[in-house]
Amino acid sequence: MLKVELMTGFAHLRDEATVDALSLHSQAVALANQKEGGYLEALADSLPASDSLYISSVDTLFKRYEAGFGPIKDFLLGLKFISNHRGGNIKVRVNIFVFAFLAHAKNLDLMFCTEVSANHKGRFLSWQNTIDGLVLFELKGRTITNDRIGLAEPYLKLRKILERDSTRNELALLALLTFSSPMQEEEILKVLGGSHSGLKALLFTLLDTGVVTKSFGLVTINEKYIPIAVFFVRAKLGVDLMALAKRWV
């Protein structure tokens, strides 16, 4: 049985696992190219022999600048088919926003058993309350409550940047990071285009807000400020990530 556990944020990418999805997928692709069989057979041959597998970093297979939904879709469907025929348990963890995109684009949610732990469900609902508070702050001038006062400074810094019409690249980068796994600068350039110096300037601006952070060479959204990023993606681009994902919470 394949079980998909939906996660808030991307901390699960650092989990210890039986094997990581990227190396498993790469091995299966290489094996499929060597043999006459297809990807499914190669993936089955590449899986470690165990009745219980945990495969990490599935989110990293979603690379829109390369093959879009293809790799992560083929990987998850392959695991589903293999687990149905072999028996045993396979568990993967996927960011809830990444899964929401897969579900709405390819209806993949109809094929998987999904679950959200109480901890992540509570975190998701907390994000929604924070976003609702930001909406009231903007529409009715209500103050940000004391329990979320730490969001005020980064929120106002980011708002000052994004309220300008000339900051489309900053907004595009913010949106990309909100529903993608942490990315290297080279990966960002493949999506957004432009020059290295231009990207450095974008990152300097966004890193200064604290909403975007960089660690171990990877650029991502600071997890405690994800509601701020989600708020601006909806306000500026009309993409409501919370609405897309709430059916699983």
Side-chain angles (χ1 to χ4, degrees):
M1 177 181 180
L2 174 65
K3 182 173 69 175
V4 180
E5 189 174 352
L6 302 181
M7 315 295 287
T8 51
F10 288 100
H12 62 284
L13 296 180
R14 299 187 290 272
D15 289 350
E16 291 187 10
T18 312
V19 64
D20 72 275
L22 192 58
S23 62
L24 183 59
H25 172 71
S26 299
Q27 182 179 342
V29 170
L31 192 59
N33 290 334
Q34 293 171 7
K35 297 183 176 181
E36 294 183 359
Y39 175 79
L40 179 60
E41 181 182 341
L43 181 61
D45 291 341
S46 301
L47 279 174
S50 175
D51 291 333
S52 182
L53 295 174
Y54 169 39
I55 302 172
S56 66
S57 304
V58 173
D59 313 69
T60 59
L61 294 178
F62 177 38
K63 301 293 186 184
R64 294 186 304 134
Y65 59 85
E66 291 177 347
F69 292 111
I72 192 170
K73 181 191 71 172
D74 293 344
F75 185 78
L76 288 175
L77 289 176
L79 291 181
K80 173 71 172 177
F81 182 85
I82 293 166
S83 65
N84 286 350
H85 285 76
R86 277 191 182 178
N89 295 307
I90 300 176
K91 181 178 75 172
V92 300
R93 288 175 173 167
V94 181
N95 175 272
I96 194 168
F97 294 147
V98 172
F99 188 79
F101 266 87
L102 284 170
H104 285 272
K106 302 295 181 180
N107 293 319
L108 290 187
D109 58 311
L110 301 177
M111 307 174 195
F112 301 119
C113 173
T114 60
E115 67 176 35
V116 183
S117 70
N119 179 46
H120 287 280
K121 183 178 293 187
R123 192 181 191 199
F124 184 91
L125 296 175
S126 174
W127 286 355
Q128 186 63 69
N129 288 335
T130 298
I131 292 168
D132 291 343
L134 293 175
V135 171
L136 291 175
F137 172 77
E138 289 289 356
L139 294 181
K140 299 185 178 181
R142 294 188 184 177
T143 58
I144 296 176
T145 56
N146 289 334
D147 59 326
R148 298 186 177 91
I149 199 67
L151 299 176
E153 183 177 353
Y155 171 77
L156 293 173
K157 279 186 174 182
L158 188 56
R159 185 179 71 166
K160 187 176 181 180
I161 294 168
L162 297 181
E163 66 187 4
R164 301 182 181 183
D165 293 335
S166 59
T167 55
R168 287 176 296 179
N169 290 335
E170 285 84 353
L171 180 59
L173 177 54
L174 183 74
L176 175 66
L177 295 174
T178 304
F179 51 81
S180 295
S181 57
M183 305 178 74
Q184 297 177 349
E185 290 185 20
E186 290 296 328
E187 293 178 301
I188 295 172
L189 280 174
K190 288 181 180 180
V191 180
L192 300 183
S195 64
H196 285 86
S197 59
L199 178 59
K200 293 289 186 185
L202 286 180
L203 288 175
F204 179 82
T205 302
L206 293 177
L207 288 170
D208 184 60
T209 68
V211 176
V212 174
T213 185
K214 184 176 181 181
S215 179
F216 300 105
L218 296 174
V219 183
T220 189
I221 301 294
N222 187 324
E223 290 215 349
K224 63 182 177 181
Y225 299 142
I226 286 176
I228 296 176
V230 172
F231 171 85
F232 280 113
V233 168
R234 183 179 74 173
K236 296 293 185 177
L237 296 176
V239 179
D240 192 340
L241 294 171
M242 300 299 288
L244 288 177
K246 69 180 181 181
R247 73 165 72 169
W248 296 285
V249 177

